[in-house]
Amino acid sequence: MTETDYALHRKVAEVSRLVVQVAEQVGHVSGQVTAVEAGTQQTRTELQQLRDEFRAFVDQARLTAALQRAETKVGVIQDQLDHEFGHHKVVRRTAVGMLQAFDIGLVSEDTVRMVGDQLMLQTPRYWLAPALVALAAWSADDPALCERAVQESFRRSPDRTSLFFALVLRRQGRHAESTRWLRHYLMAQDPAALGREFAVILESVAQGAFGAAGRGMLRDTMDEWHELLASDEGAEDAQIDRWRAEIGGLCPPVAADEFPFLSRVSPQWPPLAQVLSAARSQQAVLDKYTAIMNAEHTPSSRIEDAVDDILDRLVSEYDNEELPLRRDLAFQQAVVAHDGDTVRAKADADADSASYDETLDYLTVQSTAALNPSAIGTSEATRRLAVAACRDWFHHAHQAVSADYRGAVPQDVWARFDATYPIGSQSFTLPQWGGSFRTPLPELQQDLGAHWDKHTAPFVAALGYRYTSKVAVAALVAVIGLFIGSAIGGAATVVIPLLIVAGAAIVINQGASKARQVQESARVLLGEAKRDAQHQLAGASADLTTWQQAYAGADAVEAAVREFIASLSTATEAGSPFGGRTVPREGTQA
């Protein structure tokens, strides 16, 4: 029995040693599993950052590609315009040059006629070519040829021909004849479908090019047109919408990093950013249009030069065949201006698409001259008068924009917190918490802290070691060992169960120790997350105060904009130069 007991003792000791080794290996494996989980979480975080960076790279690449395509297309379209319509430029340059040649008498009549004949042959179907033949015939005192040339030019483009000769005759001091051509032009016009050349009329008003009689005729006609079209609410609304789009286009973007905490935790951030952006447009509008109205315009000292400038604009106006290319060119240039952002470029292009229509109603001409004078070829001097003429639409659009963003101010701003945090092999998800900033900040922070404590306490407790199940398993194994010992008999009856209990105790102790470490780590991590959430809450509250101050300051400019628009009623054409001028003759003063 002694030898049997000794051998049994050695075997039990060996089993005990193996149990201890198994316990150690289990603990080691548990540590490795935790390390793997930590590595996995780090990998997920890095992958998330990589995904965000990749998306940002893709977005930037898309903008860059769009910008490069637009720059290429701008060059292609300009080349196409030069190729298809470049020959018109020669005729345009010759027109005013021919009139100036008449002034100084340095070019012979034969040369003038030869140039006119060449251009007539080189530019078929272009209205200005026969008009130049008419000028050459007029200079050569050939009334029959002059009449035929005028009729051909009129057949090709009645409106432009009428304006051209009205301006030429005004330039030569033929007031009655000039006024007759101007009246002929105005009577043939439909104020709901004016040709693009009508912008020259606005330019003539700004420059006083037609003298007192012509200015009175133009004022009466345009007032009548305005009354006629203003009775159509749809036409008025269309102009107000254009001015609203103009004001909207001046809204400066509000970056999230200007209010970092508020933008991160408040679900109301998008409307807050939009409202502040719209309010800041007040200063942008005031700055832009104050500069336009205060810009000094020095008129030419001679009416001939002023009329020549207007003639330049008339003959340089796009032909209808050019408009599709011009519209595409304007869009591509907008893409370039917005650094490849096609969405913003399309919005700008759509808002100004009417500028590239073949015909425009009188109200649209006025708005276009004020908002995009380059689209119809008018000057900054004309723009000033157009802005003043559009003051009612400007006023209504400004009122509507101001009312819209004021009505969009969120009545209650909230903070919201909900996130998931990795804790070892598990993760803690904070249930959503929300609180209104109408509540004092200390109460909000206390409530947020209580929310954290309420949900983290049971989570941390659940990470504790489950003694009951482990002890039950150990007891079951000990009972089995007792039966085995009883079957063997002798000391094994007591020794085997005791060794099993001892080994189980070691394993349970190690497991409990590991669980306590996990719990402590969870308490530290979640405690830091709680403090960070409370810090973000305090930062968001401070950001909201800053936002309110910024909004109040931006919105306060609305009164100044309103006063500025009201002051536009004094900016009329009454002070236009050359109102009663006549063309000086040799030996007289202008």
Side-chain angles (χ1 to χ4, degrees):
M1 285 297 296
T2 302
E3 292 179 0
T4 302
D5 290 342
Y6 178 71
L8 182 60
H9 179 72
R10 288 178 59 192
K11 292 185 179 294
V12 171
E14 181 68 18
V15 171
S16 178
R17 185 179 64 80
L18 292 174
V19 169
V20 172
Q21 287 181 351
V22 170
E24 291 175 351
Q25 291 296 325
V26 169
H28 180 66
V29 170
S30 177
Q32 289 180 329
V33 169
T34 302
V36 169
E37 285 291 338
T40 302
Q41 182 59 40
Q42 182 178 1
T43 302
R44 288 175 183 163
T45 302
E46 292 175 352
L47 285 174
Q48 179 69 33
Q49 293 175 347
L50 180 61
R51 185 183 68 176
D52 294 341
E53 292 174 0
F54 179 73
R55 285 179 174 174
F57 171 77
V58 170
D59 290 341
Q60 184 58 47
R62 177 178 54 79
L63 292 175
T64 302
L67 176 60
Q68 292 174 344
R69 286 195 301 270
E71 290 174 339
T72 301
K73 287 183 179 179
V74 166
V76 170
I77 294 172
Q78 289 176 336
D79 289 343
Q80 187 176 355
L81 285 169
D82 288 340
H83 176 71
E84 295 183 13
F85 303 101
H87 55 286
H88 290 179
K89 290 183 179 180
V90 178
V91 186
R92 293 165 181 168
R93 285 196 300 266
T94 304
V96 176
M98 188 176 290
L99 290 172
Q100 293 175 352
F102 292 160
D103 290 344
I104 57 180
L106 295 180
V107 181
S108 67
E109 292 178 359
D110 291 340
T111 300
V112 170
R113 173 167 286 189
M114 180 183 67
V115 170
D117 292 345
Q118 287 179 345
L119 294 177
M120 182 69 188
L121 295 174
Q122 293 172 359
T123 54
R125 297 188 302 276
Y126 189 38
W127 72 272
L128 189 55
L132 298 186
V133 173
L135 288 180
W138 186 21
S139 173
D141 196 20
D142 186 346
L145 177 60
C146 180
E147 183 176 353
R148 292 200 307 273
V150 169
Q151 289 176 350
E152 177 60 21
S153 178
F154 191 83
R155 184 185 67 80
R156 296 181 181 186
S157 180
D159 297 335
R160 286 183 171 86
T161 299
S162 298
L163 278 179
F164 179 77
F165 284 109
L167 288 167
V168 169
L169 291 167
R170 167 59 176 156
R171 189 181 188 281
Q172 299 301 317
R174 306 283 291 274
H175 301 290
E177 293 82 354
S178 172
T179 303
R180 193 158 52 244
W181 272 104
L182 180 61
R183 182 182 297 108
H184 180 75
Y185 169 78
L186 293 175
M187 291 177 62
Q189 298 308 302
D190 177 3
L194 297 171
R196 294 175 57 81
E197 79 288 336
F198 185 80
V200 172
I201 292 293
L202 299 183
E203 192 69 29
S204 300
V205 171
Q207 299 286 355
F210 286 115
R215 184 178 61 190
M217 182 192 305
L218 289 171
R219 183 177 58 248
D220 293 343
T221 301
M222 288 190 287
D223 287 346
E224 180 182 343
W225 287 353
H226 190 283
E227 281 187 33
L228 176 65
L229 296 177
S231 61
D232 180 358
E233 292 185 4
E236 288 268 283
D237 291 343
Q239 304 314 313
I240 294 172
D241 288 342
R242 286 194 71 183
W243 281 90
R244 289 189 65 169
E246 162 72 2
I247 297 173
L250 296 175
C251 295
V254 177
D257 56 8
E258 186 176 353
F259 305 92
F261 296 104
L262 188 63
S263 62
R264 191 179 307 147
V265 307
S266 177
Q268 283 77 40
W269 168 246
L272 287 172
Q274 292 173 1
V275 165
L276 181 57
S277 174
R280 285 176 172 174
S281 69
Q282 300 283 1
Q283 188 64 53
V285 168
L286 186 62
D287 291 344
K288 176 178 179 177
Y289 284 93
T290 298
I292 289 174
M293 300 307 291
N294 291 342
E296 293 186 4
H297 170 65
T298 303
S300 174
S301 59
R302 300 191 328 140
I303 191 172
E304 294 92 332
D305 295 336
V307 174
D308 285 350
D309 289 341
I310 298 172
L311 282 169
D312 273 334
R313 297 180 187 279
L314 173 63
V315 300
S316 300
E317 172 55 41
Y318 314 140
D319 290 329
N320 291 341
E321 294 83 357
E322 298 181 52
L323 292 179
L325 289 174
R326 293 289 178 182
R327 182 181 287 107
D328 192 12
L329 178 62
F331 170 70
Q332 301 302 336
Q333 289 173 333
V335 174
V336 174
H338 289 294
D339 296 325
D341 190 338
T342 55
V343 175
R344 293 180 62 191
K346 187 175 186 306
D348 286 355
D350 289 346
D352 197 42
S353 61
S355 302
Y356 296 93
D357 291 340
E358 291 187 11
T359 61
L360 307 171
D361 64 82
Y362 172 65
L363 306 184
T364 299
V365 173
Q366 286 281 22
S367 286
T368 302
L371 298 176
N372 188 12
S374 62
I376 55 175
T378 53
S379 67
E380 289 300 314
T382 300
R383 187 179 198 178
R384 294 174 58 193
L385 295 182
V387 169
C390 297
R391 60 186 176 275
D392 288 341
W393 308 326
F394 195 176
H395 169 70
H396 290 305
H398 175 251
Q399 274 191 324
V401 169
S402 301
D404 285 349
Y405 77 71
R406 285 172 175 171
V409 175
Q411 298 303 306
D412 193 8
V413 179
W414 281 61
R416 185 175 63 198
F417 290 90
D418 51 355
T420 299
Y421 303 87
I423 308 294
S425 60
Q426 302 187 48
S427 60
F428 168 72
T429 300
L430 177 71
Q432 187 177 109
W433 174 90
S436 169
F437 283 109
R438 289 179 175 179
T439 305
L441 179 60
E443 294 183 22
L444 277 181
Q445 289 181 308
Q446 183 179 2
D447 187 55
L448 177 59
H451 180 76
W452 270 90
D453 294 340
K454 175 183 176 182
H455 295 284
T456 56
F459 176 79
V460 172
L463 297 176
Y465 196 72
R466 299 180 180 180
Y467 285 96
T468 302
S469 60
K470 303 298 182 182
V471 170
V473 172
L476 178 60
V477 174
V479 170
I480 295 173
L482 179 61
F483 281 111
I484 295 172
S486 299
I488 296 174
T493 304
V494 177
V495 173
I496 290 178
L498 288 177
L499 289 175
I500 291 175
V501 170
I506 293 172
V507 173
I508 290 173
N509 182 61
Q510 289 179 341
S513 177
K514 186 65 178 178
R516 285 193 294 271
Q517 292 177 3
V518 172
Q519 281 184 304
E520 184 59 28
S521 176
R523 288 192 187 95
V524 172
L525 190 150
L526 294 178
E528 292 177 353
K530 170 186 171 182
R531 287 189 292 273
D532 179 65
Q534 291 178 317
H535 172 68
Q536 290 188 45
L537 182 62
S541 178
D543 278 354
L544 180 58
T545 300
T546 304
W547 181 93
Q548 290 168 339
Q549 294 170 347
Y551 170 74
D555 183 59
V557 183
E558 185 272 341
V561 178
R562 195 168 2 101
E563 292 176 3
F564 168 77
I565 296 174
S567 72
L568 294 177
S569 60
T570 60
T572 65
E573 74 276 9
S576 296
F578 311 120
R581 288 282 309 271
T582 59
V583 179
R585 288 283 160 257
E586 188 175 352
T588 65
Q589 294 293 323

